[in-house]
Short mmCIF file of all heavy atoms in Angstrom, two decimals:
data_model
loop_
_atom_site.label_atom_id
_atom_site.label_comp_id
_atom_site.label_asym_id
_atom_site.label_seq_id
_atom_site.Cartn_x
_atom_site.Cartn_y
_atom_site.Cartn_z
N MET A 1 13.78 42.57 36.52
CA MET A 1 13.32 41.25 36.99
C MET A 1 11.89 41.06 36.48
O MET A 1 11.06 41.97 36.52
CB MET A 1 13.38 41.20 38.51
CG MET A 1 12.87 39.86 39.01
SD MET A 1 12.84 39.68 40.80
CE MET A 1 14.56 39.51 41.11
N ASP A 2 11.61 39.88 36.05
CA ASP A 2 10.29 39.51 35.55
C ASP A 2 9.36 39.21 36.72
O ASP A 2 9.75 38.56 37.69
CB ASP A 2 10.41 38.29 34.64
CG ASP A 2 9.19 38.04 33.81
OD1 ASP A 2 8.07 38.41 34.25
OD2 ASP A 2 9.31 37.46 32.72
N TRP A 3 8.12 39.66 36.64
CA TRP A 3 7.16 39.41 37.74
C TRP A 3 6.81 37.95 37.90
O TRP A 3 6.37 37.52 38.94
CB TRP A 3 5.91 40.27 37.55
CG TRP A 3 5.02 39.82 36.42
CD1 TRP A 3 5.07 40.22 35.13
CD2 TRP A 3 3.95 38.87 36.49
NE1 TRP A 3 4.11 39.59 34.37
CE2 TRP A 3 3.41 38.74 35.20
CE3 TRP A 3 3.40 38.11 37.52
CZ2 TRP A 3 2.34 37.89 34.92
CZ3 TRP A 3 2.34 37.27 37.24
CH2 TRP A 3 1.84 37.17 35.95
N MET A 4 7.03 37.14 36.84
CA MET A 4 6.72 35.72 36.94
C MET A 4 7.89 34.91 37.49
O MET A 4 7.77 33.71 37.63
CB MET A 4 6.31 35.16 35.57
CG MET A 4 4.95 35.59 35.13
SD MET A 4 4.30 34.68 33.72
CE MET A 4 5.39 35.18 32.42
N ASP A 5 8.99 35.53 37.80
CA ASP A 5 10.11 34.83 38.41
C ASP A 5 9.85 34.70 39.91
O ASP A 5 10.38 35.44 40.73
CB ASP A 5 11.40 35.60 38.15
CG ASP A 5 12.62 34.89 38.63
OD1 ASP A 5 12.54 33.66 38.92
OD2 ASP A 5 13.67 35.53 38.75
N PHE A 6 9.01 33.75 40.27
CA PHE A 6 8.51 33.61 41.63
C PHE A 6 9.60 33.20 42.62
O PHE A 6 9.53 33.54 43.79
CB PHE A 6 7.34 32.62 41.68
CG PHE A 6 6.15 33.08 40.91
CD1 PHE A 6 5.69 32.35 39.83
CD2 PHE A 6 5.51 34.26 41.23
CE1 PHE A 6 4.59 32.77 39.09
CE2 PHE A 6 4.40 34.70 40.50
CZ PHE A 6 3.94 33.93 39.43
N ASN A 7 10.59 32.44 42.18
CA ASN A 7 11.66 32.03 43.10
C ASN A 7 12.90 32.92 43.00
O ASN A 7 13.92 32.65 43.63
CB ASN A 7 12.03 30.58 42.91
CG ASN A 7 12.59 30.26 41.55
OD1 ASN A 7 12.69 31.14 40.68
ND2 ASN A 7 12.97 29.02 41.34
N HIS A 8 12.84 34.00 42.22
CA HIS A 8 13.89 35.01 42.10
C HIS A 8 15.24 34.44 41.74
O HIS A 8 16.26 34.87 42.28
CB HIS A 8 13.97 35.83 43.38
CG HIS A 8 12.69 36.46 43.79
ND1 HIS A 8 12.09 37.47 43.09
CD2 HIS A 8 11.87 36.20 44.84
CE1 HIS A 8 10.97 37.81 43.68
NE2 HIS A 8 10.81 37.05 44.74
N ASP A 9 15.27 33.45 40.83
CA ASP A 9 16.54 32.89 40.38
C ASP A 9 17.05 33.54 39.09
O ASP A 9 18.07 33.11 38.56
CB ASP A 9 16.44 31.37 40.22
CG ASP A 9 15.49 30.94 39.12
OD1 ASP A 9 14.77 31.79 38.57
OD2 ASP A 9 15.48 29.74 38.82
N GLY A 10 16.34 34.54 38.60
CA GLY A 10 16.78 35.27 37.41
C GLY A 10 16.26 34.72 36.12
O GLY A 10 16.56 35.29 35.06
N LYS A 11 15.52 33.64 36.14
CA LYS A 11 14.94 33.11 34.91
C LYS A 11 13.52 32.59 35.19
O LYS A 11 13.22 32.16 36.28
CB LYS A 11 15.81 32.01 34.32
CG LYS A 11 16.01 30.84 35.26
CD LYS A 11 16.97 29.83 34.68
CE LYS A 11 17.17 28.73 35.73
NZ LYS A 11 18.23 27.82 35.42
N VAL A 12 12.70 32.64 34.17
CA VAL A 12 11.30 32.18 34.27
C VAL A 12 11.25 30.80 33.66
O VAL A 12 11.38 30.63 32.43
CB VAL A 12 10.33 33.14 33.57
CG1 VAL A 12 8.93 32.60 33.63
CG2 VAL A 12 10.41 34.53 34.19
N ASP A 13 11.07 29.78 34.50
CA ASP A 13 10.98 28.41 33.98
C ASP A 13 9.54 28.11 33.58
O ASP A 13 8.63 28.93 33.75
CB ASP A 13 11.55 27.40 34.96
CG ASP A 13 10.85 27.42 36.31
OD1 ASP A 13 9.65 27.66 36.36
OD2 ASP A 13 11.53 27.15 37.32
N ALA A 14 9.30 26.91 33.07
CA ALA A 14 7.98 26.53 32.54
C ALA A 14 6.91 26.56 33.61
O ALA A 14 5.79 27.01 33.37
CB ALA A 14 8.05 25.16 31.90
N MET A 15 7.22 26.12 34.81
CA MET A 15 6.23 26.09 35.88
C MET A 15 5.84 27.51 36.31
O MET A 15 4.66 27.81 36.54
CB MET A 15 6.75 25.32 37.10
CG MET A 15 5.72 25.14 38.15
SD MET A 15 4.25 24.36 37.45
CE MET A 15 3.57 23.57 38.84
N GLU A 16 6.82 28.41 36.38
CA GLU A 16 6.53 29.79 36.74
C GLU A 16 5.68 30.45 35.65
O GLU A 16 4.78 31.24 35.93
CB GLU A 16 7.82 30.56 36.94
CG GLU A 16 8.57 30.15 38.18
CD GLU A 16 9.96 30.72 38.27
OE1 GLU A 16 10.60 30.90 37.22
OE2 GLU A 16 10.39 30.99 39.38
N GLN A 17 5.96 30.13 34.40
CA GLN A 17 5.19 30.70 33.32
C GLN A 17 3.76 30.17 33.36
O GLN A 17 2.80 30.93 33.20
CB GLN A 17 5.82 30.32 31.98
CG GLN A 17 5.16 31.00 30.80
CD GLN A 17 5.88 30.71 29.50
OE1 GLN A 17 6.72 29.85 29.42
NE2 GLN A 17 5.55 31.48 28.48
N TYR A 18 3.58 28.90 33.64
CA TYR A 18 2.24 28.30 33.76
C TYR A 18 1.47 28.96 34.91
O TYR A 18 0.31 29.36 34.78
CB TYR A 18 2.36 26.80 34.00
CG TYR A 18 1.04 26.10 34.26
CD1 TYR A 18 0.24 25.73 33.20
CD2 TYR A 18 0.62 25.83 35.54
CE1 TYR A 18 -0.99 25.08 33.43
CE2 TYR A 18 -0.58 25.21 35.77
CZ TYR A 18 -1.38 24.84 34.73
OH TYR A 18 -2.58 24.21 34.95
N MET A 19 2.14 29.11 36.08
CA MET A 19 1.47 29.72 37.22
C MET A 19 1.13 31.17 36.95
O MET A 19 0.06 31.65 37.36
CB MET A 19 2.37 29.61 38.45
CG MET A 19 2.51 28.20 38.97
SD MET A 19 3.75 27.95 40.25
CE MET A 19 3.54 29.31 41.33
N GLY A 20 1.97 31.91 36.25
CA GLY A 20 1.69 33.27 35.90
C GLY A 20 0.47 33.38 35.00
O GLY A 20 -0.37 34.27 35.17
N MET A 21 0.38 32.49 34.04
CA MET A 21 -0.77 32.49 33.13
C MET A 21 -2.04 32.13 33.89
O MET A 21 -3.10 32.67 33.63
CB MET A 21 -0.54 31.52 31.97
CG MET A 21 0.53 32.02 31.02
SD MET A 21 1.00 30.85 29.74
CE MET A 21 -0.54 30.43 28.96
N GLU A 22 -1.95 31.21 34.84
CA GLU A 22 -3.10 30.86 35.69
C GLU A 22 -3.59 32.09 36.45
O GLU A 22 -4.79 32.33 36.60
CB GLU A 22 -2.74 29.76 36.68
CG GLU A 22 -2.76 28.38 36.15
CD GLU A 22 -4.13 27.76 36.23
OE1 GLU A 22 -4.95 28.12 37.09
OE2 GLU A 22 -4.40 26.87 35.42
N LEU A 23 -2.66 32.87 36.99
CA LEU A 23 -3.02 34.05 37.78
C LEU A 23 -3.71 35.10 36.92
O LEU A 23 -4.56 35.85 37.42
CB LEU A 23 -1.78 34.67 38.41
CG LEU A 23 -1.13 33.89 39.53
CD1 LEU A 23 0.21 34.51 39.91
CD2 LEU A 23 -2.03 33.85 40.73
N LEU A 24 -3.41 35.15 35.63
CA LEU A 24 -4.00 36.15 34.75
C LEU A 24 -5.41 35.78 34.30
O LEU A 24 -6.15 36.63 33.82
CB LEU A 24 -3.10 36.38 33.53
CG LEU A 24 -1.78 37.05 33.83
CD1 LEU A 24 -0.94 37.10 32.55
CD2 LEU A 24 -1.96 38.41 34.42
N CYS A 25 -5.79 34.52 34.42
CA CYS A 25 -7.12 34.10 33.98
C CYS A 25 -8.18 34.65 34.91
O CYS A 25 -8.14 34.44 36.11
CB CYS A 25 -7.22 32.57 33.97
SG CYS A 25 -6.31 31.78 32.66
N SER A 26 -9.13 35.37 34.33
CA SER A 26 -10.18 35.96 35.18
C SER A 26 -11.55 35.43 34.82
O SER A 26 -12.54 35.87 35.40
CB SER A 26 -10.16 37.48 35.03
OG SER A 26 -10.43 37.84 33.70
N SER A 27 -11.63 34.46 33.88
CA SER A 27 -12.92 33.89 33.54
C SER A 27 -12.75 32.46 33.07
O SER A 27 -11.64 32.03 32.69
CB SER A 27 -13.61 34.73 32.44
OG SER A 27 -12.94 34.53 31.21
N LYS A 28 -13.82 31.74 33.08
CA LYS A 28 -13.83 30.37 32.62
C LYS A 28 -13.44 30.31 31.15
O LYS A 28 -12.69 29.42 30.74
CB LYS A 28 -15.24 29.80 32.82
CG LYS A 28 -15.40 28.36 32.38
CD LYS A 28 -16.83 27.91 32.68
CE LYS A 28 -17.08 26.50 32.21
NZ LYS A 28 -18.44 26.06 32.51
N GLU A 29 -13.91 31.26 30.36
CA GLU A 29 -13.61 31.27 28.93
C GLU A 29 -12.15 31.49 28.67
O GLU A 29 -11.55 30.86 27.78
CB GLU A 29 -14.46 32.36 28.22
CG GLU A 29 -15.94 32.04 28.16
CD GLU A 29 -16.68 32.32 29.47
OE1 GLU A 29 -16.11 33.01 30.36
OE2 GLU A 29 -17.80 31.83 29.62
N GLU A 30 -11.52 32.42 29.41
CA GLU A 30 -10.09 32.66 29.24
C GLU A 30 -9.28 31.40 29.60
O GLU A 30 -8.33 31.04 28.93
CB GLU A 30 -9.62 33.80 30.13
CG GLU A 30 -10.04 35.15 29.63
CD GLU A 30 -9.60 36.25 30.58
OE1 GLU A 30 -9.04 35.96 31.66
OE2 GLU A 30 -9.82 37.43 30.23
N HIS A 31 -9.68 30.72 30.69
CA HIS A 31 -8.95 29.53 31.10
C HIS A 31 -9.09 28.43 30.06
O HIS A 31 -8.15 27.72 29.76
CB HIS A 31 -9.46 29.05 32.47
CG HIS A 31 -8.52 28.11 33.15
ND1 HIS A 31 -8.43 26.79 32.84
CD2 HIS A 31 -7.58 28.35 34.10
CE1 HIS A 31 -7.50 26.22 33.57
NE2 HIS A 31 -6.96 27.15 34.36
N GLU A 32 -10.29 28.26 29.51
CA GLU A 32 -10.49 27.26 28.46
C GLU A 32 -9.67 27.59 27.21
O GLU A 32 -9.13 26.69 26.56
CB GLU A 32 -11.97 27.16 28.10
CG GLU A 32 -12.79 26.48 29.17
CD GLU A 32 -14.27 26.50 28.90
OE1 GLU A 32 -14.73 27.33 28.09
OE2 GLU A 32 -14.99 25.69 29.53
N ALA A 33 -9.54 28.89 26.87
CA ALA A 33 -8.76 29.25 25.69
C ALA A 33 -7.28 29.00 25.88
O ALA A 33 -6.59 28.55 24.96
CB ALA A 33 -8.99 30.74 25.38
N LEU A 34 -6.76 29.24 27.09
CA LEU A 34 -5.33 29.07 27.34
C LEU A 34 -4.93 27.61 27.63
O LEU A 34 -3.91 27.13 27.19
CB LEU A 34 -4.88 29.94 28.50
CG LEU A 34 -4.80 31.42 28.23
CD1 LEU A 34 -4.56 32.20 29.52
CD2 LEU A 34 -3.70 31.72 27.23
N PHE A 35 -5.77 26.91 28.39
CA PHE A 35 -5.39 25.60 28.90
C PHE A 35 -6.26 24.45 28.37
O PHE A 35 -5.94 23.30 28.62
CB PHE A 35 -5.42 25.60 30.42
CG PHE A 35 -4.51 26.61 31.03
CD1 PHE A 35 -4.99 27.79 31.55
CD2 PHE A 35 -3.14 26.40 31.06
CE1 PHE A 35 -4.14 28.73 32.10
CE2 PHE A 35 -2.28 27.35 31.59
CZ PHE A 35 -2.78 28.52 32.11
N GLY A 36 -7.38 24.72 27.72
CA GLY A 36 -8.22 23.67 27.20
C GLY A 36 -9.23 23.09 28.14
O GLY A 36 -9.98 22.20 27.79
N ASP A 37 -9.25 23.58 29.37
CA ASP A 37 -10.26 23.14 30.31
C ASP A 37 -10.70 24.31 31.18
O ASP A 37 -10.13 25.39 31.11
CB ASP A 37 -9.76 21.98 31.18
CG ASP A 37 -8.57 22.37 32.05
OD1 ASP A 37 -8.21 23.56 32.12
OD2 ASP A 37 -8.00 21.48 32.69
N ALA A 38 -11.73 24.10 32.00
CA ALA A 38 -12.26 25.21 32.77
C ALA A 38 -11.51 25.41 34.09
O ALA A 38 -11.71 26.41 34.77
CB ALA A 38 -13.75 24.96 33.08
N GLY A 39 -10.65 24.49 34.45
CA GLY A 39 -9.88 24.63 35.69
C GLY A 39 -10.76 24.76 36.90
O GLY A 39 -11.77 24.08 37.04
N ASP A 40 -10.43 25.69 37.81
CA ASP A 40 -11.23 25.91 39.04
C ASP A 40 -12.52 26.61 38.72
O ASP A 40 -13.41 26.64 39.56
CB ASP A 40 -10.43 26.75 40.03
CG ASP A 40 -9.25 25.95 40.59
OD1 ASP A 40 -9.32 24.73 40.59
OD2 ASP A 40 -8.30 26.59 41.06
N PHE A 41 -12.65 27.21 37.55
CA PHE A 41 -13.89 27.90 37.22
C PHE A 41 -15.04 26.94 37.02
O PHE A 41 -16.18 27.30 37.05
CB PHE A 41 -13.72 28.74 35.95
CG PHE A 41 -12.79 29.91 36.14
CD1 PHE A 41 -11.48 29.83 35.73
CD2 PHE A 41 -13.22 31.07 36.77
CE1 PHE A 41 -10.62 30.90 35.90
CE2 PHE A 41 -12.37 32.12 36.95
CZ PHE A 41 -11.06 32.05 36.51
N ASP A 42 -14.73 25.64 36.82
CA ASP A 42 -15.75 24.63 36.64
C ASP A 42 -16.63 24.46 37.87
O ASP A 42 -17.77 24.10 37.78
CB ASP A 42 -15.07 23.30 36.34
CG ASP A 42 -15.72 22.56 35.17
OD1 ASP A 42 -16.65 23.12 34.58
OD2 ASP A 42 -15.29 21.45 34.88
N ASP A 43 -16.08 24.76 39.03
CA ASP A 43 -16.79 24.52 40.31
C ASP A 43 -17.79 25.62 40.65
O ASP A 43 -18.52 25.48 41.62
CB ASP A 43 -15.79 24.40 41.46
CG ASP A 43 -14.85 23.23 41.26
OD1 ASP A 43 -15.24 22.28 40.57
OD2 ASP A 43 -13.73 23.26 41.80
N GLU A 44 -17.82 26.71 39.89
CA GLU A 44 -18.70 27.82 40.26
C GLU A 44 -20.17 27.46 40.22
O GLU A 44 -20.94 27.99 41.01
CB GLU A 44 -18.47 29.00 39.31
CG GLU A 44 -17.17 29.72 39.54
CD GLU A 44 -16.99 30.89 38.63
OE1 GLU A 44 -17.87 31.14 37.76
OE2 GLU A 44 -15.99 31.58 38.77
N ASP A 45 -20.59 26.57 39.35
CA ASP A 45 -21.99 26.23 39.22
C ASP A 45 -22.47 25.26 40.28
O ASP A 45 -23.65 25.14 40.54
CB ASP A 45 -22.27 25.65 37.84
CG ASP A 45 -22.02 26.65 36.73
OD1 ASP A 45 -22.10 27.88 37.01
OD2 ASP A 45 -21.71 26.22 35.61
N GLU A 46 -21.54 24.55 40.90
CA GLU A 46 -21.89 23.55 41.90
C GLU A 46 -22.00 24.21 43.27
O GLU A 46 -21.08 24.89 43.71
CB GLU A 46 -20.86 22.45 41.91
CG GLU A 46 -20.76 21.70 40.59
CD GLU A 46 -19.62 20.71 40.60
OE1 GLU A 46 -19.03 20.49 41.67
OE2 GLU A 46 -19.35 20.16 39.54
N GLU A 47 -23.09 23.99 43.94
CA GLU A 47 -23.26 24.50 45.29
C GLU A 47 -22.86 23.42 46.28
O GLU A 47 -23.32 22.29 46.21
CB GLU A 47 -24.74 24.88 45.53
CG GLU A 47 -25.16 26.14 44.83
CD GLU A 47 -24.50 27.37 45.38
OE1 GLU A 47 -24.25 27.41 46.60
OE2 GLU A 47 -24.20 28.28 44.59
N ASP A 48 -21.98 23.76 47.18
CA ASP A 48 -21.53 22.85 48.21
C ASP A 48 -21.85 23.47 49.56
O ASP A 48 -21.28 24.48 49.92
CB ASP A 48 -20.04 22.56 48.08
CG ASP A 48 -19.55 21.46 49.01
OD1 ASP A 48 -20.40 20.84 49.67
OD2 ASP A 48 -18.35 21.21 49.05
N GLU A 49 -22.75 22.84 50.28
CA GLU A 49 -23.20 23.42 51.55
C GLU A 49 -22.09 23.48 52.58
O GLU A 49 -22.10 24.31 53.47
CB GLU A 49 -24.39 22.61 52.10
CG GLU A 49 -25.64 22.75 51.23
CD GLU A 49 -26.80 21.96 51.80
OE1 GLU A 49 -26.76 21.59 53.01
OE2 GLU A 49 -27.76 21.72 51.08
N ASP A 50 -21.09 22.60 52.48
CA ASP A 50 -20.01 22.62 53.46
C ASP A 50 -19.13 23.85 53.31
O ASP A 50 -18.48 24.28 54.26
CB ASP A 50 -19.12 21.37 53.29
CG ASP A 50 -19.88 20.09 53.65
OD1 ASP A 50 -20.86 20.19 54.41
OD2 ASP A 50 -19.51 19.02 53.14
N ASP A 51 -19.07 24.46 52.12
CA ASP A 51 -18.25 25.63 51.90
C ASP A 51 -18.92 26.93 52.34
O ASP A 51 -18.27 27.95 52.45
CB ASP A 51 -17.87 25.76 50.42
CG ASP A 51 -16.89 24.68 50.00
OD1 ASP A 51 -16.25 24.09 50.89
OD2 ASP A 51 -16.78 24.43 48.80
N ASP A 52 -20.22 26.88 52.55
CA ASP A 52 -20.93 28.09 52.96
C ASP A 52 -20.71 28.33 54.44
O ASP A 52 -20.87 27.47 55.27
CB ASP A 52 -22.45 27.96 52.70
CG ASP A 52 -22.76 27.90 51.22
OD1 ASP A 52 -21.94 28.37 50.41
OD2 ASP A 52 -23.83 27.36 50.86
N ILE A 53 -20.34 29.55 54.75
CA ILE A 53 -20.10 29.92 56.14
C ILE A 53 -21.12 30.98 56.53
O ILE A 53 -21.23 32.02 55.90
CB ILE A 53 -18.68 30.50 56.35
CG1 ILE A 53 -17.66 29.42 56.01
CG2 ILE A 53 -18.50 30.99 57.78
CD1 ILE A 53 -16.23 29.91 56.09
N ASP A 54 -21.88 30.67 57.54
CA ASP A 54 -22.89 31.61 58.04
C ASP A 54 -22.34 32.29 59.30
O ASP A 54 -21.81 31.63 60.18
CB ASP A 54 -24.19 30.89 58.39
CG ASP A 54 -24.87 30.29 57.17
OD1 ASP A 54 -24.73 30.90 56.09
OD2 ASP A 54 -25.53 29.25 57.31
N SER A 55 -22.50 33.59 59.34
CA SER A 55 -22.02 34.32 60.53
C SER A 55 -22.82 33.94 61.77
O SER A 55 -22.38 34.15 62.89
CB SER A 55 -22.08 35.82 60.29
OG SER A 55 -23.42 36.21 60.03
N VAL A 56 -23.99 33.34 61.57
CA VAL A 56 -24.82 32.93 62.70
C VAL A 56 -24.15 31.79 63.46
O VAL A 56 -24.34 31.63 64.65
CB VAL A 56 -26.22 32.47 62.18
CG1 VAL A 56 -27.08 31.97 63.33
CG2 VAL A 56 -26.88 33.59 61.44
N ASP A 57 -23.31 31.02 62.77
CA ASP A 57 -22.63 29.89 63.39
C ASP A 57 -21.54 30.31 64.35
O ASP A 57 -21.06 29.52 65.15
CB ASP A 57 -22.02 28.97 62.33
CG ASP A 57 -23.09 28.34 61.45
OD1 ASP A 57 -24.23 28.24 61.89
OD2 ASP A 57 -22.75 27.95 60.33
N PHE A 58 -21.12 31.57 64.32
CA PHE A 58 -20.01 32.03 65.14
C PHE A 58 -20.52 33.00 66.18
O PHE A 58 -21.34 33.83 65.95
CB PHE A 58 -18.95 32.74 64.27
CG PHE A 58 -18.31 31.82 63.28
CD1 PHE A 58 -18.66 31.86 61.95
CD2 PHE A 58 -17.38 30.89 63.70
CE1 PHE A 58 -18.08 31.01 61.06
CE2 PHE A 58 -16.77 30.05 62.79
CZ PHE A 58 -17.14 30.10 61.48
N ASP A 59 -19.92 32.89 67.33
CA ASP A 59 -20.22 33.80 68.43
C ASP A 59 -18.90 34.43 68.86
O ASP A 59 -17.87 33.77 68.98
CB ASP A 59 -20.84 33.02 69.61
CG ASP A 59 -21.32 33.90 70.72
OD1 ASP A 59 -21.33 35.14 70.52
OD2 ASP A 59 -21.66 33.40 71.78
N SER A 60 -18.91 35.72 69.11
CA SER A 60 -17.68 36.41 69.46
C SER A 60 -17.08 35.87 70.76
O SER A 60 -15.89 36.00 70.99
CB SER A 60 -17.91 37.91 69.58
OG SER A 60 -18.87 38.18 70.57
N ASP A 61 -17.89 35.26 71.60
CA ASP A 61 -17.38 34.68 72.84
C ASP A 61 -16.57 33.41 72.59
O ASP A 61 -15.85 32.96 73.47
CB ASP A 61 -18.53 34.35 73.79
CG ASP A 61 -19.27 35.62 74.25
OD1 ASP A 61 -18.61 36.68 74.31
OD2 ASP A 61 -20.46 35.53 74.54
N ASP A 62 -16.70 32.85 71.39
CA ASP A 62 -15.96 31.63 71.07
C ASP A 62 -14.48 31.90 70.81
O ASP A 62 -13.66 30.98 70.80
CB ASP A 62 -16.55 30.95 69.82
CG ASP A 62 -17.93 30.41 70.09
OD1 ASP A 62 -18.29 30.18 71.26
OD2 ASP A 62 -18.69 30.21 69.11
N PHE A 63 -14.11 33.15 70.61
CA PHE A 63 -12.74 33.51 70.25
C PHE A 63 -12.12 34.36 71.35
O PHE A 63 -12.73 35.30 71.82
CB PHE A 63 -12.72 34.29 68.92
CG PHE A 63 -13.23 33.51 67.77
CD1 PHE A 63 -14.52 33.71 67.30
CD2 PHE A 63 -12.48 32.53 67.17
CE1 PHE A 63 -15.02 33.00 66.23
CE2 PHE A 63 -12.96 31.78 66.12
CZ PHE A 63 -14.24 32.03 65.65
N ASP A 64 -10.92 34.03 71.70
CA ASP A 64 -10.16 34.85 72.63
C ASP A 64 -9.17 35.67 71.82
O ASP A 64 -8.71 35.27 70.75
CB ASP A 64 -9.38 33.97 73.61
CG ASP A 64 -10.26 33.20 74.54
OD1 ASP A 64 -11.36 33.71 74.84
OD2 ASP A 64 -9.89 32.10 74.96
N SER A 65 -8.81 36.82 72.31
CA SER A 65 -7.82 37.64 71.63
C SER A 65 -6.47 36.96 71.61
O SER A 65 -5.62 37.26 70.78
CB SER A 65 -7.72 39.03 72.27
OG SER A 65 -7.31 38.89 73.61
N ASP A 66 -6.23 36.00 72.52
CA ASP A 66 -4.97 35.27 72.54
C ASP A 66 -4.85 34.28 71.41
O ASP A 66 -3.75 33.81 71.11
CB ASP A 66 -4.83 34.52 73.87
CG ASP A 66 -4.76 35.47 75.06
OD1 ASP A 66 -4.34 36.62 74.85
OD2 ASP A 66 -5.16 35.04 76.18
N ASP A 67 -5.97 33.94 70.75
CA ASP A 67 -5.97 32.96 69.66
C ASP A 67 -5.32 33.52 68.41
O ASP A 67 -4.94 32.79 67.52
CB ASP A 67 -7.39 32.49 69.33
CG ASP A 67 -7.99 31.67 70.46
OD1 ASP A 67 -7.20 31.13 71.29
OD2 ASP A 67 -9.22 31.56 70.51
N PHE A 68 -5.20 34.84 68.30
CA PHE A 68 -4.73 35.46 67.07
C PHE A 68 -3.38 36.05 67.20
O PHE A 68 -2.85 36.50 68.00
CB PHE A 68 -5.71 36.51 66.54
CG PHE A 68 -7.07 35.92 66.29
CD1 PHE A 68 -8.10 36.10 67.19
CD2 PHE A 68 -7.30 35.16 65.14
CE1 PHE A 68 -9.35 35.55 66.93
CE2 PHE A 68 -8.53 34.63 64.89
CZ PHE A 68 -9.56 34.81 65.79
#
């Protein structure tokens, strides 16, 4: 069985091949070489304050063991 056969139907279709190639990209340059654009690697230079999570914002009392 091929590792890119994500739905286990016995054949690797175009979407599975595309997704497999995406998973193998480990740098912006590799993604540009395979797909012609930077993909998600383009966002690395942009700082977004909403995405930053500070541990100071969380208190252990805010979570109950029943929540998990």
Side-chain angles (χ1 to χ4, degrees):
M1 179 181 287
D2 194 331
W3 71 270
M4 286 193 293
D5 185 15
F6 297 117
N7 63 357
H8 305 292
D9 65 351
K11 59 185 177 189
V12 177
D13 58 34
M15 187 55 154
E16 291 169 327
Q17 187 175 14
Y18 176 83
M19 290 171 44
M21 290 173 55
E22 279 273 334
L23 289 171
L24 292 175
C25 288
S26 62
S27 71
K28 180 178 178 180
E29 290 78 15
E30 286 178 356
H31 198 279
E32 288 174 341
L34 288 171
F35 300 104
D37 62 8
D40 291 336
F41 292 100
D42 226 4
D43 298 335
E44 287 182 358
D45 296 334
E46 298 174 9
E47 288 291 326
D48 188 6
E49 292 181 18
D50 294 335
D51 290 340
D52 293 336
I53 297 176
D54 295 327
S55 60
V56 177
D57 296 337
F58 296 104
D59 186 10
S60 61
D61 295 331
D62 292 339
F63 298 102
D64 293 331
S65 61
D66 296 335
D67 292 339
F68 300 102

